[in-house]
Amino acid sequence: MTEDLRQTVGQLPVIGPIAKSIYRAIVPGTEKLQFSSSSAQYWEDRYSLGGNSGAGSYGHLAEFKARILNKFVEDRGLQSVIEFGSGDGAQLELARYPAYTGVDVSARAVELCRSRFKADPSKRFILASSPEASSARAELAMSLDVIYHLVEDSVYDEYMTRLVSAAEKFICIYSSNAARESPDKHVRHRVFTDWMANNAPTWKLLSKIDNPFPEDPARPSHTSWADFYFFHKD
């Protein structure tokens, strides 16, 4: 299987039972992929079985995200960025950050990124459970396509707390922001702005940028339910 084909089929687990069966038929071993014990275990299994970070990290959706983020970093002269949920690093290929720290719950994802960017000293990758991750800080703390995958309340609360505590100047969240049900066990939509208002009141919404490719159920791998939300300290 070519890498391009693997990336393409790796996007399919988010688009329904038929697509899932096709993906599992093409990529050996992924018939075992299912949400069982935790969101962290789901992603560890997904990366270990050859899956990737999903459709949002590839193609025109990735290009849109990179365009917004690169401009934000450049316009404000930011020198450091930390991302909670760095995934397989595909989105990062398009980024222009002076210094970057990627944090992920999946040991396999961290391993993949360390290999992918081994020649780039401006980037480092650490496991979310490590002491180093707890103390990491940056001018901009980011969460891209992660929040709606945090299905456990305790995991969600801990993640948001870490995201806020790691930010020195700005927070960027790219996510859905409405409570609604999902047929996928590894997806849970939340109103994260309520969490910010209740638990991080000194952080105020600076701007919201709507996705130019809004969710279309008929084209799930080409559209997104996520928008950009930028916060700064009041």
Side-chain angles (χ1 to χ4, degrees):
M1 175 183 296
T2 66
E3 183 62 24
D4 288 344
L5 180 57
R6 182 178 294 278
Q7 291 178 355
T8 299
V9 298
Q11 299 169 10
L12 296 179
V14 299
I15 66 175
I18 295 177
K20 288 180 182 179
S21 64
I22 295 173
Y23 176 76
R24 291 165 181 166
I26 296 174
V27 183
T30 52
E31 67 279 355
K32 300 177 182 178
L33 180 62
Q34 58 182 333
F35 186 90
S36 54
S37 58
S38 68
S39 53
Q41 189 61 52
Y42 171 85
W43 286 99
E44 180 64 31
D45 292 344
R46 177 162 166 160
Y47 290 122
S48 296
L49 291 170
N52 62 31
S53 293
S57 297
Y58 295 87
H60 61 277
L61 289 172
E63 291 168 2
F64 159 65
K65 289 156 69 176
R67 183 168 64 252
I68 297 299
L69 292 169
N70 289 339
K71 187 176 189 304
F72 188 88
V73 170
E74 181 180 3
D75 287 352
R76 286 158 181 78
L78 302 181
Q79 297 302 306
S80 59
V81 174
I82 185 169
E83 180 179 5
F84 290 88
S86 46
D88 62 11
Q91 180 69 55
L92 189 59
E93 292 277 10
L94 303 175
R96 298 194 302 271
Y97 310 141
Y100 172 90
T101 298
V103 182
D104 205 280
V105 296
S106 167
R108 178 56 179 160
V110 171
E111 178 186 347
L112 289 169
C113 284
R114 286 175 177 172
S115 176
R116 188 171 198 159
F117 298 99
K118 61 183 178 182
D120 187 348
S122 71
K123 297 177 177 61
R124 64 170 180 154
F125 302 91
I126 52 182
L127 194 60
S129 59
S130 68
E132 189 178 8
S134 299
S135 61
R137 301 289 185 271
E139 292 173 306
L140 171 64
M142 303 193 307
S143 170
L144 310 178
D145 284 315
V146 173
I147 289 176
Y148 54 82
H149 287 303
L150 306 177
V151 300
E152 308 95 336
D153 288 337
S154 60
V155 171
Y156 168 65
D157 189 67
E158 180 182 358
Y159 175 89
M160 294 296 292
T161 301
R162 274 194 171 192
L163 178 71
V164 170
S165 65
E168 296 174 343
K169 293 183 178 180
F170 300 99
I171 295 172
C172 170
I173 295 176
Y174 179 79
S175 178
S176 58
N177 189 41
R180 58 181 177 131
E181 294 185 358
S182 170
D184 296 305
K185 291 184 178 180
H186 66 285
V187 172
R188 180 179 176 183
H189 296 283
R190 301 174 183 270
V191 184
F192 70 83
T193 50
D194 285 353
W195 190 98
M196 292 292 292
N198 293 329
N199 299 279
T202 60
W203 288 90
K204 303 299 183 182
L205 184 64
L206 176 65
S207 63
K208 175 179 181 286
I209 301 176
D210 293 337
N211 201 312
F213 310 102
E215 181 184 11
D216 179 354
R219 304 176 68 244
S221 62
H222 298 282
T223 60
S224 175
W225 49 52
D227 298 307
F228 273 109
Y229 297 78
F230 289 93
F231 297 84
H232 71 133
K233 280 191 175 181
D234 189 13

